[in-house]
Amino acid sequence: MTLGKMTMWLLFFLLTVYAFIPGLLIRLFGYRAFKRGSGNNELALTFDDGPDEKYTAQLLDLLKEYDIKVTFFVVGKNAEKHADLIRRMHEEGHLIGIHNYEHKSNWLMLPKQVRRQIEQSSEIVERITGERPIYYRPPWGIINLFDFLTIRKFRLILWSRIVGDWWKHSHKTKLKKRLLKRLRSGEVILLHDSGETFGAYQDAPGQMLLALKEFIEELVPKGYKFLRIDDMLRDSNDFAVRERSFYRTAVVFLWMKWESLFHFLFQVQCVDRDTRFLHLRIRKYDGKTLELPDGERIQSGNRVAELHLDNRMLYSMGRSARTSMHLAIGLIREMERTMPKVADFILNDPDYSDVKGLYGISMINRGPANFGFTVLDLPKGVFAVLSKWYLRILLSVVHPQGSQRLQSKSEMLVPKIIVMSRKELLRRYQPENTAKIPAVKQERIASEQSSTAALGK
């Protein structure tokens, strides 16, 4: 593969991991996001992009007339400009969530910028109302990979119904028809009380208000209730449990599809087709020189065998393991069984004749040394950051304790380089040397690894 193609695939990979996969997870599958309730004849009206001096005031008058409580996701910049409207929302019993400080897509900002935008909006609302918002809706419902951690203090809220009320030709009759079409209980309805954002028609909220009035007048006599998002969430606990289970399954499904694509694109080879525990791919090492204890050196330009665990098998092991200890012991046994096959594979495959050694990135920081690997710090940079968050997300899916594991001893969850020279690999695991290898003390290694128990790409 040429350098140009490698660069293209690397950019594709980074874009996929940074933007497209996170967006797909929350928009299509609602991963870690709330987008629909479960109560009978309950609806949640939500309004984005305000406050607007003209239309938000009219909206508040309409809601007061029918004694309806709703949720606003305000743009920080607009909230700062119209503090009186924010204060009125709060005093009249509405829930205030946030957008970013400016209506910018999270795809177009670095994680630090997104965090600053969210913090600014939160501080503005808290300064006006005395309460810090805990509900967040990203502009256009788009997030990047790092947002899963940036917004962990917030509840991510999406929607189940959107009617295009920002368009210039969205007449009240069309909007009302879209609002009523196949309406189901638990809908989270997205509307806009400002037409000042990019792509919106400035006076579109006027038609939205006319349609909303008729919509309310038609539904109230039928027994429909309009709830704030926090009230709908309280009424949807059982639904939320089922939802999380479904979305976890969806996340795993997408992850496995991505792994299959990765293996195809980068010609990853299976070492042992019976268990498919370990996979290898040949690549040129392009980092700083790695000095190994046996005197070998891996330098930029050397060919190495990049080591990958099979995530499908890892997930299966994680599901069946009752504790971290059981998962760690299972990993140890598979490594003991498979490493001799890795040595045999590299020794007998002509394509690996000039490979200098094994190389991988792992969150296990101590255990691999017992198998002959040298563990080194990953150089600081973009790749280190991406590797950390990729492996943390993988751990949250695979580990028996799920995302709770990320909150316990998180300082230990740091990816590191694990590397072994070809000479050391063959010395330890060549068939004629296998009998000389001392047995690995499983319980000791398991206790060391129980705090991590996850390998990854």
Side-chain angles (χ1 to χ4, degrees):
M1 188 178 289
T2 66
L3 181 61
K5 286 185 177 180
M6 284 292 293
T7 302
M8 180 185 71
W9 283 118
L10 178 60
L11 288 173
F12 171 74
F13 172 75
L14 292 176
L15 279 174
T16 300
V17 172
Y18 183 76
F20 299 140
I21 289 179
L24 192 67
L25 290 178
I26 73 158
R27 290 294 297 275
L28 292 187
F29 298 102
Y31 176 64
R32 292 185 63 179
F34 180 78
K35 56 192 295 188
R36 180 188 291 278
S38 59
N40 187 37
N41 283 0
E42 293 179 352
L43 304 172
L45 294 173
T46 67
F47 298 88
D48 286 11
D49 302 353
D52 178 271
E53 186 175 18
K54 178 181 178 182
Y55 292 114
T56 302
Q58 292 179 22
L59 172 59
L60 288 169
D61 290 341
L62 175 63
L63 297 172
K64 188 174 183 180
E65 179 183 350
Y66 290 93
D67 191 26
I68 288 173
K69 310 304 179 189
V70 303
T71 304
F72 291 92
F73 292 96
V74 301
V75 174
K77 193 173 183 179
N78 293 343
E80 196 171 37
K81 189 187 301 182
H82 303 295
D84 55 328
L85 290 171
I86 297 294
R87 196 172 296 110
R88 183 181 170 188
M89 290 175 191
H90 180 68
E91 290 173 352
E92 294 183 2
H94 302 294
L95 180 64
I96 302 175
I98 58 169
H99 255 357
N100 293 339
Y101 179 75
E102 297 177 296
H103 201 278
K104 287 184 178 179
S105 169
N106 291 13
W107 282 3
L108 304 179
M109 294 186 287
L110 296 174
K112 186 177 180 179
Q113 293 173 302
V114 176
R115 186 165 58 251
R116 188 184 304 121
Q117 291 261 336
I118 293 172
E119 288 174 355
Q120 278 184 283
S121 290
S122 298
E123 289 167 2
I124 289 166
V125 173
E126 184 178 22
R127 191 164 60 244
I128 297 170
T129 67
E131 292 185 11
R132 194 169 186 84
I134 62 171
Y135 299 97
Y136 173 65
R137 176 178 283 165
W140 293 291
I142 291 174
I143 68 168
N144 63 57
L145 177 64
F146 300 95
D147 289 344
F148 286 123
L149 294 171
T150 300
I151 61 177
R152 63 185 183 276
K153 295 179 181 178
F154 294 84
R155 186 65 196 261
L156 188 62
I157 306 297
L158 297 181
W159 58 86
S160 60
R161 179 166 296 245
I162 187 169
V163 296
D165 60 318
W166 62 89
W167 297 115
K168 183 175 182 178
H169 301 294
S170 293
H171 188 268
K172 71 165 186 174
T173 304
K174 290 182 180 179
L175 293 177
K176 180 186 173 185
K177 185 177 180 180
R178 292 171 190 163
L179 284 167
L180 291 171
K181 187 176 181 181
R182 291 194 295 272
L183 185 67
R184 292 179 292 174
S185 295
E187 296 269 28
V188 176
I189 300 171
L190 169 60
L191 297 167
H192 300 80
D193 57 323
S194 173
E196 298 294 334
T197 54
F198 176 76
Y201 177 55
Q202 188 174 10
D203 293 325
Q207 292 297 310
M208 180 276 293
L209 287 169
L210 294 173
L212 180 62
K213 181 178 176 65
E214 294 185 7
F215 177 68
I216 292 171
E217 289 175 344
E218 184 164 332
L219 292 185
V220 168
K222 295 179 180 179
Y224 277 88
K225 295 180 291 184
F226 295 90
L227 304 181
R228 300 181 352 164
I229 283 294
D230 54 347
D231 292 326
M232 180 172 276
L233 277 165
R234 277 192 288 270
D235 290 347
S236 304
N237 286 335
D238 293 340
F239 176 83
V241 170
R242 295 194 303 272
E243 187 180 53
R244 283 195 296 271
S245 176
F246 170 79
Y247 294 142
R248 182 181 176 88
T249 302
V251 170
V252 172
F253 173 79
L254 289 173
W255 206 289
M256 299 313 168
K257 290 299 181 184
W258 162 249
E259 180 173 61
S260 298
L261 179 62
F262 180 89
H263 283 197
F264 172 75
L265 293 176
F266 294 98
Q267 300 178 342
V268 180
Q269 297 176 287
C270 180
V271 173
D272 179 12
R273 296 194 178 277
D274 291 336
T275 64
R276 305 186 62 84
F277 181 66
L278 289 176
H279 302 261
L280 299 174
R281 80 175 180 104
I282 299 174
R283 55 160 286 197
K284 282 188 178 182
Y285 176 70
D286 58 0
K288 294 181 180 179
T289 299
L290 303 177
E291 303 279 355
L292 303 181
D294 60 0
E296 293 290 291
R297 306 171 75 200
I298 295 182
Q299 300 173 299
S300 181
N302 290 157
R303 281 163 42 103
V304 294
E306 189 175 73
L307 192 64
H308 297 269
L309 278 183
D310 188 281
N311 286 338
R312 188 180 299 278
M313 182 175 180
L314 190 59
Y315 174 68
S316 178
M317 292 173 68
R319 286 191 64 187
S320 60
R322 297 188 300 276
T323 65
S324 299
M325 181 70 74
H326 287 108
L327 178 56
I329 290 173
L331 289 172
I332 290 167
R333 288 173 176 165
E334 287 299 331
M335 284 291 288
E336 286 182 325
R337 194 188 62 76
T338 310
M339 285 302 294
K341 296 189 177 184
V342 173
D344 185 63
F345 188 89
I346 288 179
L347 183 65
N348 293 296
D349 192 317
D351 290 340
Y352 287 78
S353 60
D354 61 345
V355 160
K356 291 279 289 185
L358 293 177
Y359 174 91
I361 308 296
S362 172
M363 271 195 176
I364 293 181
N365 297 337
R366 292 170 290 182
N370 293 280
F371 294 99
F373 287 96
T374 299
V375 181
L376 303 170
D377 290 333
L378 196 62
K380 294 181 179 179
V382 174
F383 179 74
V385 174
L386 289 174
S387 296
K388 178 180 179 180
W389 300 130
Y390 176 91
L391 291 171
R392 282 172 70 93
I393 293 172
L394 176 60
L395 179 59
S396 72
V397 173
V398 170
H399 199 279
Q401 296 172 350
S403 59
Q404 294 177 4
R405 182 64 190 87
L406 299 179
Q407 301 169 10
S408 172
K409 298 182 180 179
S410 60
E411 71 280 357
M412 300 180 68
L413 304 180
V414 178
K416 296 202 175 190
I417 296 170
I418 60 170
V419 60
M420 184 191 305
S421 70
R422 179 190 185 92
K423 181 172 72 175
E424 179 67 14
L425 173 70
L426 298 182
R427 184 188 73 79
R428 281 177 171 259
Y429 298 107
Q430 241 182 310
E432 59 268 26
N433 295 331
T434 301
K436 302 176 184 179
I437 302 171
V440 178
K441 296 180 180 179
Q442 293 185 1
E443 294 298 331
R444 177 171 57 80
I445 301 175
S447 64
E448 291 179 351
Q449 296 189 16
S450 62
S451 62
T452 45
L455 286 166
K457 291 184 174 66

